[in-house]
Amino acid sequence: MNLIYTGKTKDVYELDNGNYLLKFKDDVTGENGVFDPGANTVGLVMEGAGRAGLSLTKFFFEKLKAANIPTHYIDADIKEATMTVLPATVFGKGLEVICRYRAVGSFLRRYGLYAQEGQALDAFVEVTLKDDQRQDPPISMSALEMLGILSAEEYATLENLTKQICQIVKDELFKKGIELYDIKLEFGRVKDGQVALIDEISGGNMRAYKDGVYIEPLELEKIMLSSE
């Protein structure tokens, strides 16, 4: 295997057959020792977070596969905390796609003049550039197209897929009495230029609450994958 990328929460290796292997780490994003899925830095280490994140990612990616939603997922090895995926090309230098159901986090910080904390949002989709130096600035569809990052058609596909994926995640959480406040996804182009979900779907990239109380990533995985 050839290490090609070291990220905040996982490392990426190229396999001999051309596929990639993602190695999940116990690092999670946050600041000052407090977890924050929207943060640009690794804020703390949670023992077992890598396997927990992968377990939940496997759960959701297999749900998406059953729904014929395109992803880069091939299979996962929970014991080794690794996931095998199709090769994918990110848009530009990387985009993050956030779907919001409640006004919290950076949405509230930006629009607090108009929005109230916790205000219900109707699956609001926004795209940000992966740019730590500039604090992941939001970017519009027109700017994405003008800068050659993606086409208007690809944006429409990305937005539609985001709403489909997040509805599935939201519904699965609801079965356990959990409310999804927001979630961050990543997309790329796989074979033949198809737009597909990449990276992961885990407690580390969403805010989920039960009875008004925030659920930590490790606890979320336990609840979601329990047989009760």
Side-chain angles (χ1 to χ4, degrees), residues 88-161:
T89 303
V90 299
F91 296 104
K93 295 183 180 180
L95 301 176
E96 291 179 342
V97 184
I98 303 100
C99 186
R100 301 184 184 275
Y101 295 98
R102 293 280 182 180
V104 293
S106 60
F107 181 93
L108 186 64
R109 290 193 293 272
R110 290 197 303 266
Y111 308 126
L113 181 63
Y114 299 93
Q116 297 182 348
E117 184 173 4
Q119 176 183 332
L121 302 173
D122 187 16
F124 173 73
V125 176
E126 65 178 340
V127 178
T128 66
L129 298 177
K130 291 188 74 172
D131 185 343
D132 293 348
Q133 183 180 348
R134 296 171 179 81
Q135 299 184 325
D136 297 346
I139 186 168
S140 68
M141 183 273 288
S142 296
L144 287 164
E145 185 179 22
M146 288 178 188
L147 295 174
I149 298 172
L150 51 68
S151 67
E153 182 180 1
E154 286 176 321
Y155 184 92
T157 299
L158 182 150
E159 184 174 38
N160 183 50
L161 285 174

Side-chain angles (χ1 to χ4, degrees), residues 30-224:
E31 293 182 0
N32 302 317
V34 178
F35 167 73
D36 181 353
N40 292 325
T41 58
V42 171
L44 62 160
V45 176
M46 292 183 179
E47 185 176 354
R51 288 186 178 87
L54 177 57
S55 297
L56 202 53
T57 294
K58 180 177 185 287
F59 172 81
F60 282 124
F61 270 79
E62 291 183 350
K63 292 285 183 184
L64 299 179
K65 182 178 180 180
N68 294 316
I69 292 176
T71 75
H72 70 163
Y73 175 80
I74 297 176
D75 58 35
D77 185 330
I78 305 302
K79 182 179 179 181
E80 296 296 325
T82 60
M83 183 167 76
T84 306
V85 300
L86 296 170
T89 303
V90 299
F91 296 104
K93 295 183 180 180
L95 301 176
E96 291 179 342
V97 184
I98 303 100
C99 186
R100 301 184 184 275
Y101 295 98
R102 293 280 182 180
V104 293
S106 60
F107 181 93
L108 186 64
R109 290 193 293 272
R110 290 197 303 266
Y111 308 126
L113 181 63
Y114 299 93
Q116 297 182 348
E117 184 173 4
Q119 176 183 332
L121 302 173
D122 187 16
F124 173 73
V125 176
E126 65 178 340
V127 178
T128 66
L129 298 177
K130 291 188 74 172
D131 185 343
D132 293 348
Q133 183 180 348
R134 296 171 179 81
Q135 299 184 325
D136 297 346
I139 186 168
S140 68
M141 183 273 288
S142 296
L144 287 164
E145 185 179 22
M146 288 178 188
L147 295 174
I149 298 172
L150 51 68
S151 67
E153 182 180 1
E154 286 176 321
Y155 184 92
T157 299
L158 182 150
E159 184 174 38
N160 183 50
L161 285 174
T162 296
K163 290 185 177 182
Q164 291 182 56
I165 292 164
C166 293
Q167 187 62 53
I168 289 173
V169 174
K170 188 171 184 284
D171 290 345
E172 291 297 327
L173 293 177
F174 182 77
K175 292 176 184 178
K176 298 287 186 174
I178 299 170
E179 182 181 356
L180 179 64
Y181 274 32
D182 59 28
I183 182 170
K184 178 174 62 179
L185 305 176
E186 293 190 34
F187 291 84
R189 299 182 184 96
V190 293
K191 54 185 177 181
D192 301 323
Q194 182 182 34
V195 177
L197 180 70
I198 62 173
D199 198 43
E200 65 179 284
I201 301 179
S202 70
N205 58 3
M206 67 176 78
R207 289 186 181 91
Y209 287 72
K210 189 177 179 69
D211 300 324
V213 178
Y214 169 72
I215 306 173
E216 294 283 350
L218 291 177
E219 183 63 21
L220 182 63
E221 183 264 343
K222 291 178 183 177
I223 296 172
M224 290 303 298

